[in-house]
Structures are given as structure tokens and as C-alpha cells.
Amino acid sequence: QLEFEESGGGLVQPGGSLRLSCEASGFDLEYYAIGWFRRAPGKDYEGVSCISSSDDSTYYIASVKGRFTISRDNALNMVFLQMNSLKPEDTGVYYCAALTGGDDITTMDARDYAYWGQGTQVTVSS
């Protein structure tokens, strides 16, 4: 099956850090731009960050810019999301997915992404 497996979530205090990982199975990650999305309870999917397949250019939504860093290691078939200075508003289930509906990494429309994983829970609370 073509999908990602996310890991690295957990419970962290405000101001803390987490490093999320996603590993591709059934396909080669290197051919796709990879995005991170999150979903808080009662809310829709929100695009967080994306990394290009070609030149490793990156995109971040304004609320996480300067705090989160997306990276990829194609040899490991993995993408990472380093999250620093976490806030309670960052709480949610985080997913990675492959951009298959175009090549604009700034749009972050979930309908353009495929091969979603099961997600990993991130809870930021004191």
C-alpha cells in the first residue's frame, strides 16, 4: 500500500520541541513534494509546511514560520518536521502526504495530496 507512517508525536509543555518523522512505504519519496498537515479536534485539515521534490525549497504557514523546519532525507525515504517553541495552538494530529495534484507547494490544499498516513498526536499543554 502506498502510504506514509508518521511518528515522533507526544505530550510537550509550551515552549518545548518535538521532531516528527514520516517514512514512505510502497513508493519513492524523492519524486514528490511532501507536505505536513495537522487537524485539531473539530477542525479541518490545515496545511503546515511543504518541501519541494526538485530543489528542496520549503514553504511554511505564517503561524509556524521561524519555529518549524521541514527537511528530507531521500536516502532514508523520510521527511522530518522539527518543531520548536511549541504553543498550545499547535496541538493536533499531524499527517504527512505527497503532493500529486500539481507542483505548487504554497497552496497546501489537502485535496491535492495523497498517500496519507495514520497521523501522530501532538499535544502542547502545561
Side-chain angles (χ1 to χ4, degrees):
Q1 184 173 333
L2 305 180
E3 64 179 10
F4 285 107
E5 181 174 359
E6 300 93 342
S7 62
L11 175 63
V12 65
Q13 293 182 326
S17 297
L18 287 172
R19 182 176 174 85
L20 306 184
S21 301
C22 70
E23 183 173 5
S25 62
F27 65 99
D28 290 327
L29 175 150
E30 64 180 305
Y31 300 115
Y32 299 92
I34 306 298
W36 283 97
F37 293 78
R38 65 190 179 191
R39 185 169 67 177
K43 296 185 178 181
D44 205 353
Y45 295 94
E46 178 186 30
V48 176
S49 182
C50 191
I51 185 166
S52 173
S53 64
S54 57
D55 58 1
D56 283 352
S57 60
T58 58
Y59 169 79
Y60 303 90
I61 57 170
S63 61
V64 309
K65 196 170 186 178
R67 300 188 297 119
F68 291 9
T69 302
I70 189 171
S71 61
R72 67 192 301 156
D73 189 330
N74 291 334
L76 298 177
N77 221 27
M78 297 182 71
V79 171
F80 306 95
L81 185 67
Q82 178 67 46
M83 306 186 297
N84 299 325
S85 302
L86 283 163
K87 304 174 181 179
E89 66 191 66
D90 296 318
T91 294
V93 180
Y94 282 69
Y95 304 85
C96 56
L99 179 60
T100 60
D103 58 2
D104 187 350
I105 68 171
T106 70
T107 303
M108 299 300 297
D109 188 335
R111 296 172 295 181
D112 293 330
Y113 289 75
Y115 313 145
W116 297 75
Q118 296 181 3
T120 184
Q121 176 70 47
V122 172
T123 303
V124 185
S125 176
S126 60

